Amino acid sequence: MRLVYVALAWCAGIVCAANLSAPLPIGWLAAFCLAAISLALVWRQPRYRSVHLLLMVLTLGGLRFTLTPNTSALAAHNGHALTVEGTVVEAPQRNSDSLQLRIAAETVSYAGRTETTSGIVLAETPGNQELGFGDRVRASGDQFRPPVYDTFSYADYLARAGIFSLMPNAAVEVVQRSTDTSLASALVSLREQARERIASALPEPYAGLLTGILIGDESGIAPEIEDAFARTGAAHVIAISGFNMVVVSGIVLAVLKRARIPDRRAAFVGIIVVALYTVFVGASASVVRAAVMTSLWIAGSSILQRKTFVPASLAFAALLMSLANPYVLWDVGFQLSLFATLGITLFTAPFTRWFQRGVDAVLPPRAAERVLNWLGPTLIVSLAAQVLVLPLIALYFERISIVSMLVNLLIIPVQPLILVLGGLATIVALISPLVALPAYYAAIPALAWTTGIVRQFAQLPSAEIAVQFHPNWIAAFFVVVIAAVMIQATQPEWIEASVTFVRRSTVRVSAVAAALILLVLITLLLIARPDGMLHVWLLEMGHSHTLLVQTPSGAQILIDGGRFPSRLLLTLGDHMALNDREIDLLAITQPDDYDYGALPEVLKRYHAGLIVTNGQPSLSRTYEALLNAAGDTQMQTLQAGQNITLSDGVALEVLHPEQPPVLGESLDDGALVMRLSYGSASFLITSDASAFAQQAMVDEGYAAHATVLILPKHGAARALEDAFLDAVQPQIVLLESDPANRIGDPDPDTLAQVEHLPLYRTDISGTLHLWTDGSTLWLLPQTAG
């Protein structure tokens, strides 16, 4: 188990480095040297040697992360229209109406000049073009940084593959067709031929489903079918992920066992099958990871027949993969592969015993044996894998299918038939498509059964339920699981002593546990109590406005909310007390979906004491959903000159508009502008106030001085009037911006207007936290952007 400790320390170092605001290699190198010196000093003391060794491994993990590139030369040109020339380095990904190309750029042309460069851009072009792996192409278009969505960071996803640039709607022309004769090119060609053979032999939806099951190409699956598999928890069937690879390998081993092939020989055959299958489906990074995990599970459980081998092997695999690319730890596919394999290792044996007991209780011995041999291995492997996968699905996708177990029970038994008949037919079709037709047709009943079951259950209103868990709770769950695995493997003496003590003192132990839980809850409530200061959080919500305020007495004020419900709910949960479900004041500065799209979901979980707006109506469905979610909550229209003063001295002054804007009037001209003040500290909340609105405030004398100015319109071109800036005279400027925005914000000229002032940006520093006692103002982070 020493390898497990080493892997955990290594991964801990990577995670620590990732969470530091500005990780520097020199700092981690210095820490490594100190740890190495410390290890040398205690080397003759075995009691301390292991701890210092793990500390050194931790620093190495941090150092490795800081040495990983987080950008590319090509990414320096994000936000510009340009032309890149390079080679398609992976098989193009076909979608319903487009084609995605990963182009390794060699030159970039913009502003009339061409220069050499490096990096990969993901270009999207119309799907009617004939492009292939190895083609040299020229792509032209606007290049952007990949975006971050509510529950999914596309930027992080692509960064794990070394991609930091995105070019949607690219115009692509072929400079030279591929002349590559490498194995990789041959595999891509073989995979494309297999897809074409399946498509020509079977009608939809069977062709798309078989293509997804066999080679992991989901591009031919209709959105309706794909959504049905997701709603019923059966998406693993149509994706070559770790989950699917593990289940398939379990089926292969079960088949070999029924053929009375010795365990070790069957395991070697299984590993060979996994390797061949990996090569056949293209050997992408995610598939290779899944194959490695699966092979380690087979080797540990069948060849070495050691329970402790699998956790150690998984740790070794995680160590090697994160050594090659530290960002793999955040890859959902890697996590699913890792914990699906661990789940099968931990739960297959007990599930088998329980299944056998249940079958023996209701069926005669011979019938029970047949059912166990037929359904047992496939069903049990699937259920065992899902035990540790479900928490990850709940975390990342925020939904759980309540029909998943039943659907898998019904469709998994026919998957071996689909794999055998479909795989055999495809191999034959590569030689003779006509000869392969009978095998393809023989697979249709199983394919029809699979799609039929999935589509029927997906139509149930309660097929899936929405869930949301704080990432810390999921992390705590897996910490407990890993700790339990390590304890089970090592079986230290203190565990046996602890179990004996608990059995003898059940009442006392229960009382102590209850007291500890109560103490933790009380501590969390005490931490969340107001501290007598005004706290302001400018939240990182992409290119949207969101401000959370906690007054000295604990009142909660939310101004706008952005368009990402999950991200906003997580932030509210982080900053509000566990038992606090009251937002005392909710302000909506303008009826722009980008600024309040998340609020309908928030109002389903939190009650708003008062909702204030600029009074401008909207006909959008999002605004209608907001009104429905608000229910009978009091709503009030604010106008310039009105004030809201709280009992703790916090005041909210309305500076604009003077009259409620009418339907169809410019949103920015009528944006609600407010000044939040406490003592001598003040914050000017400008929303998307236009130049017209700013000049109106100057003319009417409402452009009051403020300590902190939030740049209007995300710092866009001509977003800030000089007269307005002169009237406000801020000491600090804040900017809400999305690094992946496609508008080009912030504008250099706008930034130049405030270059003499400290500027803090959410696109650089993330959420900004400011707090004041009414005279002194503090801010995190402390480094201006």
Side-chain angles (χ1 to χ4, degrees):
M1 295 299 291
R2 294 177 182 175
L3 187 58
V4 175
Y5 293 121
V6 170
L8 289 175
W10 171 268
C11 294
I14 292 175
V15 173
C16 288
N19 284 280
L20 292 178
S21 57
L24 296 174
I26 188 65
W28 284 100
L29 181 59
F32 167 74
C33 293
L34 290 175
I37 294 172
S38 177
L39 176 63
L41 293 175
V42 299
W43 184 256
R44 295 183 179 277
Q45 303 177 41
R47 189 174 184 178
Y48 303 106
R49 185 168 56 201
S50 297
V51 175
H52 286 74
L53 178 61
L54 294 178
L55 183 61
M56 188 175 71
V57 172
L58 185 145
T59 60
L60 278 175
L63 178 62
R64 176 63 185 92
F65 179 85
T66 59
L67 294 175
T68 304
N70 56 9
T71 187
S72 66
L74 181 64
H77 304 292
N78 286 348
H80 298 91
L82 46 79
T83 298
V84 298
E85 185 172 321
T87 305
V88 179
V89 292
E90 285 194 14
Q93 177 66 47
R94 296 184 180 275
N95 298 318
S96 56
D97 59 351
S98 64
L99 199 65
Q100 287 188 338
L101 306 172
R102 298 191 178 193
I103 304 171
E106 298 173 15
T107 63
V108 57
S109 302
Y110 65 99
R113 64 178 186 271
T114 300
E115 61 184 52
T116 59
T117 189
S118 62
I120 300 177
V121 59
L122 181 63
E124 188 174 277
T125 189
N128 55 2
Q129 288 188 267
E130 290 297 328
L131 299 166
F133 173 81
D135 287 350
R136 185 172 183 82
V137 298
R138 186 179 295 118
S140 301
D142 294 322
Q143 182 174 284
F144 303 100
R145 175 176 173 173
V148 177
Y149 302 112
D150 188 14
T151 59
F152 173 66
S153 173
Y154 196 36
D156 290 344
Y157 170 76
L158 292 179
R160 289 191 284 270
I163 301 174
F164 305 98
S165 302
L166 191 66
M167 188 181 289
N169 304 314
V172 180
E173 60 177 313
V174 178
V175 177
Q176 181 180 354
R177 289 294 180 184
S178 173
T179 57
D180 190 356
T181 58
S182 65
L183 177 60
S185 179
L187 289 174
V188 170
S189 176
L190 183 65
R191 192 167 178 236
E192 183 64 22
Q193 290 181 45
R195 188 184 67 81
E196 293 174 355
R197 296 292 189 271
I198 295 172
S200 64
L202 294 174
E204 295 296 344
Y206 310 130
L209 178 60
L210 182 59
T211 303
I213 292 174
L214 282 181
I215 60 179
D217 184 353
E218 303 171 41
S219 60
I221 301 177
E224 173 201 347
I225 300 296
E226 198 165 12
D227 183 64
F229 274 88
R231 283 179 56 83
T232 56
H236 59 86
V237 170
I238 55 174
I240 309 298
S241 63
F243 180 87
N244 188 51
M245 183 75 78
V246 168
V247 172
V248 169
S249 65
I251 294 171
V252 171
L253 289 178
V255 172
L256 294 175
K257 184 177 181 180
R258 291 184 63 188
R260 301 186 183 280
I261 296 177
D263 288 347
R264 295 195 176 189
R265 189 177 301 175
F268 280 117
V269 173
I271 292 175
I272 292 173
V273 169
V274 167
L276 293 175
Y277 187 51
T278 301
V279 171
F280 176 69
V281 300
S284 65
S286 60
V287 174
V288 170
R289 286 197 301 267
V292 170
M293 297 289 186
T294 305
S295 299
L296 290 173
W297 167 63
I298 295 173
S301 59
S302 300
I303 298 177
L304 299 181
Q305 297 180 346
R306 291 172 56 190
K307 294 182 178 179
T308 59
F309 178 80
V310 175
S313 299
L314 292 176
F316 181 66
L319 188 63
L320 285 182
M321 293 178 186
S322 58
L323 177 63
N325 181 6
Y327 287 100
V328 75
L329 297 183
W330 288 269
D331 186 270
V332 178
F334 168 77
Q335 295 175 12
L336 290 174
S337 300
L338 180 72
F339 287 106
T341 308
L342 186 60
I344 287 180
T345 303
L346 297 178
F347 301 111
T348 297
F351 281 11
T352 300
R353 291 193 297 269
W354 296 339
F355 186 81
Q356 187 169 7
R357 290 172 188 169
V359 172
D360 289 342
V362 297
L363 293 176
R366 296 194 66 178
E369 183 180 359
R370 290 178 181 176
V371 171
L372 187 65
N373 289 336
W374 179 49
L375 281 181
T378 54
L379 178 62
I380 290 170
V381 167
S382 175
L383 296 181
Q386 289 193 56
V387 171
L388 297 184
V389 166
L390 280 177
L392 293 174
I393 293 175
L395 174 63
Y396 291 117
F397 305 107
E398 296 190 342
R399 59 183 185 178
I400 291 180
S401 172
I402 62 175
V403 299
S404 174
M405 296 297 182
L406 181 56
V407 168
N408 279 281
L409 171 65
L410 294 173
I411 68 172
I412 283 181
V414 303
Q415 299 313 301
L417 187 62
I418 293 176
L419 286 167
V420 172
L421 291 176
L424 178 63
T426 303
I427 293 172
V428 173
L430 293 173
I431 303 172
S432 175
L434 186 63
V435 176
L437 285 178
Y440 275 130
Y441 292 158
I444 287 180
L447 291 167
W449 170 263
T450 300
T451 54
I453 291 294
V454 167
R455 295 174 80 173
Q456 287 297 319
F457 277 92
Q459 293 176 6
L460 298 176
S462 57
E464 65 176 2
I465 56 174
V467 295
Q468 189 174 43
F469 295 100
H470 196 288
N472 291 345
W473 290 108
I474 302 297
F477 168 78
F478 282 108
V479 167
V480 172
V481 169
I482 292 172
V485 171
M486 295 173 65
I487 290 172
Q488 183 186 31
T490 56
Q491 296 182 350
E493 295 181 359
W494 62 269
I495 286 294
E496 185 177 350
S498 300
V499 172
T500 302
F501 176 77
V502 170
R503 288 175 178 173
R504 291 178 179 177
S505 311
T506 304
V507 176
R508 281 185 292 174
V509 171
S510 300
V512 171
L516 288 175
I517 293 174
L518 183 60
L519 179 62
V520 170
L521 292 175
I522 292 174
T523 302
L524 291 175
L525 292 174
L526 289 175
I527 292 174
R529 290 182 62 189
D531 57 4
M533 294 191 179
L534 175 69
H535 291 264
V536 176
W537 290 274
L538 189 65
L539 304 181
E540 182 193 8
M541 292 289 164
H543 227 53
S544 304
H545 300 291
T546 313
L547 199 74
L548 176 63
V549 179
Q550 184 183 75
T551 71
S553 63
Q556 312 287 348
I557 301 174
L558 179 63
I559 301 175
D560 291 328
R563 66 188 192 278
F564 297 140
S566 296
R567 203 185 302 183
L568 180 57
L569 287 168
L570 177 61
T571 301
L572 294 177
D574 285 341
H575 297 299
M576 295 175 63
L578 292 174
N579 60 335
D580 191 355
R581 288 295 180 269
E582 181 78 15
I583 297 173
D584 299 273
L585 177 65
L586 174 61
I588 301 171
T589 59
Q590 59 182 15
D592 185 342
D593 291 4
Y594 258 56
D595 292 331
Y596 70 84
L599 293 180
E601 287 299 319
V602 170
L603 291 176
K604 293 178 182 179
R605 306 194 189 192
Y606 292 85
H607 176 261
L610 174 66
I611 300 177
V612 297
T613 72
N614 66 345
Q616 186 172 16
S618 173
L619 301 179
S620 77
R621 292 184 179 179
T622 307
Y623 198 76
E624 182 181 353
L626 173 67
L627 296 178
N628 292 334
D632 57 357
T633 301
Q634 180 184 356
M635 299 188 70
Q636 180 178 337
T637 298
L638 297 182
Q639 299 178 29
Q642 292 182 304
N643 295 323
I644 299 175
T645 303
L646 306 183
S647 59
D648 52 17
V650 173
L652 202 59
E653 309 164 57
V654 182
L655 310 182
H656 189 76
E658 291 193 89
Q659 296 293 331
V662 299
L663 182 66
E665 188 175 339
S666 167
L667 298 180
D668 298 347
D669 288 349
L672 185 62
V673 179
M674 297 175 288
R675 181 176 181 263
L676 175 71
S677 60
Y678 179 58
S680 61
S682 55
F683 304 79
L684 191 57
I685 306 162
T686 58
S687 182
D688 276 335
S690 64
F692 170 83
Q694 294 172 44
Q695 191 60 51
M697 284 185 278
V698 172
D699 294 341
E700 299 298 328
Y702 286 121
H705 165 74
T707 313
V708 179
L709 169 67
I710 302 177
L711 272 181
K713 300 175 70 65
H714 310 287
R718 297 175 295 280
L720 184 61
E721 286 289 293
D722 288 329
F724 183 72
L725 179 62
D726 292 339
V728 176
Q729 297 182 2
Q731 300 176 31
I732 296 174
V733 178
L734 307 182
L735 171 64
E736 299 167 288
S737 185
D738 184 352
N741 81 85
R742 300 183 181 182
I743 310 172
D745 297 340
D747 183 72
D749 292 336
T750 302
L751 295 180
Q753 290 178 267
V754 295
E755 62 182 358
H756 61 290
L757 296 169
L759 173 64
Y760 298 87
R761 304 168 49 164
T762 60
D763 59 342
I764 294 177
S765 304
T767 293
L768 302 173
H769 178 201
L770 302 93
W771 67 100
T772 178
D773 58 2
S775 57
T776 304
L777 180 68
W778 295 271
L779 184 148
L780 281 177
Q782 298 291 342
T783 304

